[in-house]
């Protein structure tokens, strides 16, 4: 509760000084890069305005109360006037308002909301005429002014605490969302519209614009991240020229998250986009994509907050293995490299993902990694945390995995036999004990001779260990006796 109170009280702070900018307009002369012409202003400076064809487009400052007048609806004016009306509505939608005060400029906010709704309908309907190229540029400018803004600070930045749990903390909901949602909806409708000419649109939805969209994925508002996910995915599908840039941009966010901050609100949404992208990779897979798997996706198992995005990450990893079964050995060894030592809940997640990967693994790749793999599984079988031991034993419920084990039982059983015996003799949890007995019986049914040989070797090791312990005890007794006599 205290964290939420502090969070609400400091929402006007930025996540970093470098990102806290108000966005105005640069010179209209450069029509090929809309996002790059946005002028970054400090909040203490006056807003910048640009004159485009006699229409003054404001930057961020709200106008004096009562100066914004309602405009007619599109259906109320002749078709020849609608493009000009479209531009005038864009002008109104560029004004920024203070949503922290719900009683301030209520009329002006409602006028802007109505204008945004009509712009969305205009773009979505398609029957009112195609938007002119100049209006498309101004529309992207308006979108940029509204969405490219200071993101509020995350909860850990407000409190300075590293112990804040994002799963328990209530998500931040932006008070300006009634307007932001319509702006995002307008951008989405523009991107997906069949009337949008990609050759024209890519002049305004350029690399700079895409990069700023990627930056917004750190928003704490889940509604905003959902829109960003849909829009970026559509941009990736429609603008082929941006595809390598988008992949590199996501890559860089992952690198910063893994190796620097371990804090980012949108990792799950970015992985959802990638899941769809990976599904569309052509075969044979490019080396670039394999490097992305090794350098970015597999290391994403390292950060502490993996539980927030593990489901999406596991889907992406499994997609790679299903696309190219030869990657199974690389993925399994990567999982073993980042296997948690003390975090039992994380270990349960790893075991679940391991089962999905093994489901898509062929015999040849399984044989390459089965020795280190089952050494780790043996450690999991003996875990004092019953969920870890139980999840490891559940691997034998998967028919494909059992077939792989059966084909290589001469290697697998000697590795895990001691762990099975130890569980039966001394594990405190009855469910784990019962599951272990079932797995042990499964191996006995597979190969009686191998099982008896493993049992004999295990008995010899136990006897040797007991003998060694007795020798050690005897030596200590001798030392104690000698010390007593010397004293």
């Amino acid at each position: 509760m205290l964290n939420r109170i502090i969070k609400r009280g400091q929402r006007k702070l930025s996540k970093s000084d470098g990102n806290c900018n108000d966005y105005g307009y640069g010179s209209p002369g450069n029509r090929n890069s809309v996002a790059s012409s946005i002028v970054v202003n400090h909040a203490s400076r006056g807003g910048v305005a640009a004159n485009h064809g006699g229409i003054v487009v404001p930057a961020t400052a709200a106008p004096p109360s009562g100066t914004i007048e309602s405009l007619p609806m599109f259906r109320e004016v002749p078709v020849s006037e609608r493009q000009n009306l479209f531009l005038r509505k864009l002008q109104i939608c560029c004004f920024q308002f203070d949503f922290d005060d719900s009683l301030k400029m209520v009329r002006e906010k409602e006028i802007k909301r109505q204008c945004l709704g009509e712009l969305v309908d205009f773009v979505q309907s398609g029957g009112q005429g195609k938007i002119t190229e100049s209006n498309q540029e101004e529309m992207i400018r308006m979108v940029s002014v509204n969405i490219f803004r200071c993101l509020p600070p995350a909860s850990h930045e407000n409190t300075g605490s590293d112990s804040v749990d994002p799963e328990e903390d209530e998500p931040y909901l932006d008070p300006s969302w009634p307007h932001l949602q319509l702006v995002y909806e307008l951008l989405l409708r523009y991107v997906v519209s069949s009337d949008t000419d990609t050759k024209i649109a890519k002049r305004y939805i350029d690399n700079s614009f895409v990069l700023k969209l990627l930056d917004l994925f750190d928003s704490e508002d889940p509604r905003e991240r959902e829109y960003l996910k849909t829009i970026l995915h559509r941009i990736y599908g429609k603008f082929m020229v941006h595809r390598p840039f988008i992949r590199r941009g996501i890559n860089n966010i992952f690198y910063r998250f893994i190796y620097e901050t371990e804090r980012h609100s949108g990792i799950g949404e970015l992985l959802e986009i990638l899941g769809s992208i990976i599904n569309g990779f052509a075969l044979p897979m490019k080396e670039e994509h394999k490097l992305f798997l090794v350098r970015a996706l597999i290391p994403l198992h390292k950060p502490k907050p993996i539980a927030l995005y593990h489901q999406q990450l596991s889907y992406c990893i499994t997609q790679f293995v299903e696309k190219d079964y030869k990657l199974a050995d690389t993925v399994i060894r990567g999982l073993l490299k980042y296997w948690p030592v003390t975090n039992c809940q994380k270990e349960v997640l790893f075991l679940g993902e391991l089962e999905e990967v093994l489901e898509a693994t062929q015999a040849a790749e399984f044989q390459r990694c089965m020795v280190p793999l089952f050494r780790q599984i043996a450690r999991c079988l003996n875990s004092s945390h019953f969920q870890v031991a139980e999840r490891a034993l559940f691997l034998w419920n998967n028919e494909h995995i059992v077939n792989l084990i059966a084909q290589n039982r001469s290697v697998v059983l000697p590795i895990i036999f001691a762990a099975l015996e130890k569980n039966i003799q001394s594990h405190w949890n009855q469910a784990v004990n019962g599951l272990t007995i079932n797995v042990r019986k499964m191996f006995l049914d597979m190969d009686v001779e191998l099982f008896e040989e493993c049992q004999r070797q295990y008995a010899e090791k136990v006897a040797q260990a007991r003998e060694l312990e007795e020798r050690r005890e005897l030596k200590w007794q001798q030392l104690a006796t000698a010390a007593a006599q010397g004293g």
Side-chain angles (χ1 to χ4, degrees):
M1 178 61 74
L2 178 60
N3 288 343
R4 294 199 295 272
I5 293 172
I6 293 173
K7 185 188 295 185
R8 293 191 187 104
Q10 299 187 17
R11 281 295 165 192
K12 291 185 180 180
L13 299 175
S14 69
K15 284 196 170 180
S16 64
D17 292 340
N19 291 333
C20 186
N21 306 307
D22 290 331
Y23 292 91
Y25 293 115
S27 167
N30 182 5
R31 304 179 67 87
N32 294 324
S33 180
V34 174
S36 61
S37 68
I38 294 173
V39 178
V40 176
N41 298 304
H42 191 274
S44 63
R45 299 175 189 160
V48 179
N51 190 305
H52 297 282
I55 301 294
V56 178
V57 183
T60 57
S65 180
T67 58
I68 295 183
E69 297 297 331
S70 297
L71 296 176
M73 300 180 72
F74 285 109
R75 65 171 179 265
E76 296 174 353
V77 300
V79 174
S80 59
E81 296 294 324
R82 288 178 183 173
Q83 294 295 330
N84 186 50
L85 180 60
F86 187 89
L87 193 60
R88 291 170 65 196
K89 289 182 184 291
L90 290 175
Q91 173 190 6
I92 289 176
C93 294
C94 284
F95 286 120
Q96 302 292 287
F97 299 102
D98 180 10
F99 283 88
D100 290 325
D101 186 352
S102 59
L103 300 178
K104 189 176 180 181
M105 303 190 77
V106 177
R107 173 182 169 276
E108 287 77 6
K109 291 176 184 176
E110 179 60 21
I111 291 175
K112 178 180 177 180
R113 190 192 65 77
Q114 290 177 359
C115 283
L116 285 169
E118 290 170 22
L119 290 171
V120 171
D121 292 339
F122 186 91
V123 173
Q124 186 173 5
S125 65
Q128 306 189 55
K130 289 186 178 181
I131 307 171
T132 64
E133 184 175 342
S134 61
N135 277 1
Q136 290 182 50
E137 179 180 8
E138 298 308 319
M139 180 174 64
I140 298 302
R141 288 182 184 276
M142 184 276 290
V143 169
S144 301
V145 165
N146 280 276
I147 67 174
F148 298 146
R149 67 202 190 282
C150 296
L151 290 176
S155 52
H156 72 275
E157 292 175 310
N158 280 327
T159 63
S161 172
D162 288 333
S163 60
V164 176
D165 187 351
E167 290 184 302
E168 295 181 2
D169 199 32
E170 287 186 7
Y172 166 68
L173 301 179
D174 196 317
S176 64
W177 184 246
H179 284 196
L180 276 177
Q181 180 182 12
L182 290 171
V183 175
Y184 277 119
E185 188 68 27
L186 176 64
L187 177 59
L188 176 61
R189 294 304 164 192
Y190 172 69
V191 170
V192 303
S193 174
S194 57
D195 292 331
T196 300
D197 188 337
T198 307
K199 292 182 180 179
I200 295 174
K202 72 180 181 181
R203 300 174 191 172
Y204 316 124
I205 300 180
D206 58 5
N207 284 351
S208 178
F209 185 90
V210 169
L211 194 60
K212 289 182 173 66
L213 277 183
L214 285 169
D215 287 340
L216 287 173
F217 273 87
D218 203 14
S219 169
E220 283 197 283
D221 193 325
R223 302 169 300 181
E224 182 168 17
R225 297 199 304 270
E226 192 67 23
Y227 260 104
L228 286 164
K229 178 185 73 177
T230 305
I231 290 169
L232 188 65
H233 189 206
R234 296 290 186 157
I235 290 174
Y236 187 91
K238 190 159 189 171
F239 298 82
M240 294 187 67
V241 67
H242 290 329
R243 290 182 179 182
F245 183 82
I246 290 173
R247 291 197 300 269
R248 285 196 301 271
I250 295 175
N251 227 351
N252 292 335
I253 291 173
F254 288 167
Y255 288 154
R256 188 175 305 159
F257 172 72
I258 296 165
Y259 300 110
E260 295 180 19
T261 65
E262 287 200 359
R263 295 187 182 278
H264 195 283
S265 300
I267 299 298
E269 285 79 8
L270 291 171
L271 285 169
E272 282 189 50
I273 296 171
L274 282 171
S276 180
I277 292 173
I278 295 166
N279 194 32
F281 281 166
L283 294 176
M285 199 175 293
K286 294 180 181 177
E287 195 64 27
E288 168 202 347
H289 303 327
K290 296 179 183 179
L291 286 174
F292 171 71
L293 168 68
V294 173
R295 295 177 178 177
L297 285 186
I298 292 178
L300 274 173
H301 290 85
K302 179 184 176 183
K304 292 179 182 178
I306 185 176
L308 297 175
Y309 57 82
H310 181 262
Q311 183 179 355
Q312 297 93 329
L313 175 60
S314 179
Y315 178 78
C316 290
I317 294 287
T318 308
Q319 285 287 303
F320 265 102
V321 179
E322 289 178 352
K323 279 278 180 182
D324 186 351
Y325 65 90
K326 292 181 180 179
L327 293 172
D329 176 53
T330 301
V331 167
I332 291 172
R333 290 182 183 274
L335 282 172
L336 295 176
K337 178 181 178 181
Y338 294 105
W339 200 275
V341 178
T342 59
N343 189 330
C344 295
Q345 294 303 323
K346 191 173 177 181
E347 203 165 4
V348 172
L349 294 177
F350 272 53
L351 286 165
E353 181 177 351
L354 179 63
E355 180 175 356
E356 293 183 10
V357 173
L358 287 173
E359 182 75 45
T361 301
Q362 302 299 317
E365 280 61 44
F366 180 80
Q367 290 169 359
R368 291 178 188 172
C369 61
M370 62 184 174
V371 172
L373 171 61
F374 279 90
R375 283 175 180 164
Q376 182 58 60
I377 290 176
R379 287 189 284 270
C380 293
L381 292 174
N382 289 150
S383 174
S384 58
H385 194 292
F386 80 95
Q387 288 181 328
V388 175
E390 190 176 55
R391 190 66 188 82
L393 288 162
F394 281 161
L395 293 174
W396 275 267
N397 289 342
N398 188 300
E399 186 177 349
H400 180 71
I401 296 175
V402 169
N403 287 335
L404 290 173
I405 293 172
Q407 293 170 24
N408 301 277
R409 58 187 178 274
S410 60
V411 176
V412 173
L413 184 56
I415 296 173
I416 68 167
F417 189 87
L420 295 174
E421 292 297 312
K422 186 178 178 181
N423 267 7
I424 292 171
Q425 293 168 13
S426 60
H427 201 285
W428 64 271
N429 186 272
Q430 290 299 315
V432 170
N433 194 282
L435 288 169
T436 305
I437 291 173
N438 292 338
V439 171
R440 186 177 183 273
K441 185 177 183 302
M442 195 178 295
F443 278 109
L444 180 60
D445 294 340
M446 282 181 194
D447 194 328
V448 175
E449 292 182 6
L450 175 63
F451 186 88
E452 290 177 347
E453 176 63 21
C454 290
Q455 199 170 34
R456 184 187 62 78
Q457 291 177 1
Y458 176 72
E460 287 180 359
K461 287 180 181 178
V462 169
Q464 290 172 1
R466 188 181 300 114
E467 183 181 349
L468 184 63
E469 183 63 26
E470 289 173 355
R471 288 178 183 176
R472 187 182 294 114
E473 287 293 332
L474 180 61
K475 179 66 72 175
W476 276 112
Q477 289 175 10
Q478 292 172 350
L479 288 170
T481 303
Q485 291 175 352

